[in-house]
Amino acid sequence: MKTLNLPPFEYKLKQSGANMLIFDVLRRKYVLLTPEEWVRQHFIHYLVNSLAYPKSLISVERGTTYNKLQKRTDICIYTNTGSPFLLVECKAAHVPITQEVVKQVSTYNQVLQAPYVVITNGLEHYCWEVDFATRKFMPLQDIPKYGFEQGFE
């Protein structure tokens, strides 16, 4: 797998037939190692180890419904009161972050209403604060750390 622009972590891999699996600390099981999963696992460890988000507030691949279609969010961090706080869309390292990707995560966030959105391919990371009243995305220099502002009562 490709070296990413995220801190390294000690990952666990195992072979299952023709498939390579990686251990997901949130789901507490081995999952198929795809290029997107490689990015997702790195980003999960970055959120927990570098930004201090508790594992208990992070959800992976949770289903949501948009226009009667079932969609899955890559990573969503919730506040202590259960409100979505930060939505993360992961792409494989070879997938460029395009306007179409931004549109995809914006669509998911219309349902979730998380005030912060991140898009990453493991090499590039973009973070926005969402103003739902004006329907604008304001770019941020850094991804908010756990406890940022009042998001975690």
Side-chain angles (χ1 to χ4, degrees), residues 70-137:
Q70 278 299 112
K71 302 289 184 184
R72 290 196 171 275
T73 57
D74 285 326
I75 301 169
C76 188
I77 298 173
Y78 293 86
T79 64
N80 291 329
T81 59
S83 301
F85 178 74
L86 180 97
L87 176 63
V88 180
E89 177 66 24
C90 299
K91 296 296 181 188
H94 67 274
V95 176
I97 306 297
T98 63
Q99 190 61 37
E100 192 60 35
V101 174
V102 174
K103 183 179 177 186
Q104 176 189 4
V105 76
S106 299
T107 299
Y108 292 168
N109 204 35
Q110 287 178 17
V111 174
L112 293 172
Q113 301 274 304
Y116 298 94
V117 173
V118 173
I119 301 174
T120 181
N121 63 7
L123 301 173
E124 296 179 291
H125 324 285
Y126 298 96
C127 183
W128 294 272
E129 182 174 4
V130 182
D131 183 334
F132 291 101
T134 63
R135 302 182 113 192
K136 291 189 177 179
F137 276 40

Side-chain angles (χ1 to χ4, degrees), residues 24 33 38 65 99-100 105 136 138 149:
D24 182 324
L33 178 59
W38 181 245
T65 304
Q99 190 61 37
E100 192 60 35
V105 76
K136 291 189 177 179
M138 294 155 288
E149 289 187 350

Side-chain angles (χ1 to χ4, degrees), residues 3 13 23-24 40 46-47 51 70 75 79 110 141 148:
T3 300
L13 299 177
F23 188 76
D24 182 324
R40 181 175 19 246
Y46 171 67
L47 290 167
L51 300 182
Q70 278 299 112
I75 301 169
T79 64
Q110 287 178 17
Q141 291 294 327
F148 176 77

Side-chain angles (χ1 to χ4, degrees), residues 35-48:
E36 182 177 314
E37 191 64 45
W38 181 245
V39 171
R40 181 175 19 246
Q41 290 305 314
H42 273 77
F43 209 83
I44 288 168
H45 284 269
Y46 171 67
L47 290 167
V48 171

